[in-house]
């Protein structure tokens, strides 16, 4: 089992092959689908951060091929009150991105310049103050779940 970690591995292919090697049964990986990251509203404010994330996550096709066996992929709904600190966890709480500590705890921000990050944060803050964010995305504040890029892959070995 690997939970939101494989994008940090230096040799992802070797690590995934090791998961398969040591497992007698299914292998479960919780990760993000890079092809679905653009569906989150933060793309309008932090496109460079989203692009940095997209480059770090393997495609679902690559993962299923590398894992082998019979793979199932499911989109994972994220609850509005999700306590984890990944970006989509704040889909209905955009003010979190104004907090430097929140951004420091999300690894993707380390791949963009401070100037780039500051531009996006300033734009978000202005849109929150003016009400523009709420006019466009305010429905997320009441949406109990968000289905974005979070995926659960379960691979059962072939016999």
């Amino acid at each position: 089992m690997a939970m939101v970690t494989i994008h940090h591995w230096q040799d992802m292919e070797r690590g995934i092959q090791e998961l398969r090697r040591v497992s007698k049964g299914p292998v479960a990986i919780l990760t993000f689908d890079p092809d679905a990251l653009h569906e989150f509203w933060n793309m309008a404010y932090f496109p460079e951060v989203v692009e940095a994330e997209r480059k770090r996550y393997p495609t679902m096709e690559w993962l299923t091929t590398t894992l082998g066996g019979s793979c199932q992929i499911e989109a994972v709904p994220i609850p509005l009150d999700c306590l984890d600190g990944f970006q989509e966890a704040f889909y209905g709480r955009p003010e979190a991105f104004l907090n430097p500590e929140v951004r420091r705890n999300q690894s993707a921000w380390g791949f963009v310049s401070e100037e780039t990050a500051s531009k996006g944060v300033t734009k978000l803050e202005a849109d929150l103050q003016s009400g523009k964010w709420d006019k466009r995305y305010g429905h997320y504040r009441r949406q109990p779940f968000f289905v974005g890029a979070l995926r659960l892959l379960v691979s059962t070995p072939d016999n």
Side-chain angles (χ1 to χ4, degrees):
M1 182 183 315
M3 300 293 134
V4 191
T5 183
I6 62 173
H7 61 288
H8 293 291
W9 297 356
Q10 286 190 353
D11 190 340
M12 193 182 310
E13 183 172 13
R14 188 171 173 200
I16 289 171
Q17 289 170 345
E18 185 68 2
L19 284 173
R20 170 55 66 220
R21 186 187 73 76
V22 301
S23 174
K24 303 241 187 288
V27 171
I29 297 177
L30 185 67
T31 189
F32 293 89
D33 180 350
D35 295 330
L37 289 171
H38 69 280
E39 296 173 16
F40 183 40
W41 59 259
N42 70 345
M43 185 69 178
Y45 296 93
F46 316 117
E48 297 87 355
V49 174
V50 174
E51 181 60 19
E53 288 284 69
R54 193 189 64 71
K55 290 177 182 177
R56 297 171 65 209
Y57 291 113
T59 65
M60 298 297 103
E61 180 181 351
W62 183 89
L63 271 173
T64 58
T65 300
T66 304
L67 277 167
S70 176
C71 288
Q72 293 187 325
I73 302 171
E74 291 190 36
V76 178
I78 303 161
L80 182 59
D81 61 352
C82 182
L83 296 178
D84 199 311
F86 60 89
Q87 289 184 44
E88 289 181 343
F90 299 109
Y91 73 89
R93 298 171 286 154
E95 292 81 6
F97 290 104
L98 304 181
N99 183 337
E101 187 174 335
V102 167
R103 296 191 309 274
R104 273 194 302 273
N105 287 313
Q106 296 172 345
S107 58
W109 292 89
F111 294 98
V112 300
S113 71
E114 183 60 40
E115 179 183 342
T116 297
S118 182
K119 284 180 189 177
V121 170
T122 299
K123 180 181 176 185
L124 175 61
E125 185 172 31
D127 284 0
L128 286 167
Q129 288 177 356
S130 72
K132 184 176 179 179
W133 187 94
D134 280 291
K135 283 181 184 174
R136 191 166 187 193
Y137 305 109
H139 62 281
Y140 288 119
R141 293 187 187 277
R142 299 173 305 281
Q143 186 172 307
F145 294 94
F146 175 72
V147 178
L150 189 60
R151 301 289 184 266
L152 176 64
L153 283 80
V154 179
S155 172
T156 304
D158 291 333
N159 291 334

